[in-house]
Amino acid sequence: MQASWRNDADKLTFIICKPLGSSPNSVQQVVLPRDDNPERMLGDINLFLVEGDDSDSDGDPGPSVVGEIEIMIARKDLQRNGYGRATLLAFLWYILSYRSEILQEYSSHIVQQDSNEPAWKYLRVKIDSSNARSIGLFESVGFEKMSEEPNYFGELELRWFMPEGGTEGRESIDWRNFEKPQILQHNAKEHSLR
């Protein structure tokens, strides 16, 4: 299963680790395996890409893509410390910075009836309707509830509509109380983005 998560073009997973230090504007060297060892791991954040259905269409005749986000801070003692918000904002920044590459990889692995590259319509999250903290987190960065009533499974769906254009969309994120992601470097010879 881990191999499919690494190689599938419709999934993007990052392991959330504790921050390296307190210098937000400096470039820091990530040392493997020291900086990603199990004691530093907090949880994970995932993006799942699926083909949009016709009900998602806003009149565009071409294919569309929907991205579903899941986030988990596994250790209860580390929840409510801002790690979820920082991770979500950094992930949104990453998605908007590399949206073209993410879509190209996804498009190259699906069979399309239409030769046009799919349009990325929105990101969504499905959250148990009783999880007010998680709902509040996603609303705080601009996700909107699609209904006040939960679905059959007791979940609320929230969406964040992808801004037009490339990296300019990053400006639409609510960056309040957040320092932009630290620049991290590591030897990528044995690692890929997938």
Side-chain angles (χ1 to χ4, degrees):
M1 184 167 141
Q2 287 177 331
S4 79
W5 281 72
R6 175 168 289 223
N7 298 324
D8 285 353
D10 62 347
K11 298 176 186 75
L12 182 62
T13 297
F14 287 99
I15 302 300
I16 307 165
C17 293
K18 292 179 185 175
L20 291 178
S22 61
S23 51
N25 294 322
S26 67
V27 175
Q28 296 188 27
Q29 183 71 31
V30 174
V31 178
L32 304 177
R34 181 195 73 195
D35 293 327
D36 67 346
N37 67 46
E39 293 79 35
R40 298 189 54 78
M41 293 181 187
L42 303 174
D44 59 42
I45 189 163
N46 305 287
L47 174 68
F48 301 96
L49 298 175
V50 296
E51 291 182 56
D53 62 27
D54 291 338
S55 66
D56 294 328
S57 177
D58 57 2
D60 274 340
S64 65
V65 174
V66 173
E68 186 163 330
I69 293 179
E70 291 181 358
I71 185 170
M72 175 191 62
I73 303 297
R75 289 182 39 193
K76 297 282 187 204
D77 63 318
L78 295 175
Q79 294 177 358
R80 305 208 36 91
N81 287 302
Y83 294 125
R85 181 175 172 77
T87 299
L88 178 57
L89 287 171
F91 199 54
L92 290 173
W93 181 90
Y94 181 89
I95 289 168
L96 290 173
S97 296
Y98 295 98
R99 71 196 272 173
S100 179
E101 292 87 346
I102 294 168
L103 266 181
Q104 285 174 354
E105 184 172 346
Y106 174 74
S107 297
S108 70
H109 287 82
I110 60 170
V111 177
Q112 293 183 19
Q113 302 297 329
D114 193 321
S115 62
N116 295 327
E117 185 171 293
W120 201 335
K121 297 296 186 181
Y122 57 85
L123 297 172
R124 73 177 171 209
V125 63
K126 294 178 181 177
I127 304 171
D128 187 281
S129 62
S130 66
N131 191 343
R133 292 186 335 200
S134 187
I135 293 167
L137 167 64
F138 281 89
E139 286 181 325
S140 77
V141 299
F143 280 73
E144 301 173 8
K145 288 180 191 170
M146 293 296 97
S147 171
E148 291 296 325
E149 295 299 317
N151 65 16
Y152 177 81
F153 301 103
E155 301 167 322
L156 292 174
E157 181 175 324
L158 289 80
R159 293 182 182 176
W160 188 74
F161 292 91
M162 298 291 282
E164 296 294 325
T167 58
E168 300 83 34
R170 292 183 301 197
E171 307 314 316
S172 67
I173 297 174
D174 183 357
W175 295 107
R176 289 178 293 189
N177 303 318
F178 178 72
E179 295 177 17
K180 290 193 180 176
Q182 295 180 355
I183 299 170
L184 303 176
Q185 298 177 341
H186 68 89
N187 184 342
K189 288 180 184 174
E190 296 180 23
H191 300 83
S192 69
L193 292 177
R194 288 190 279 164

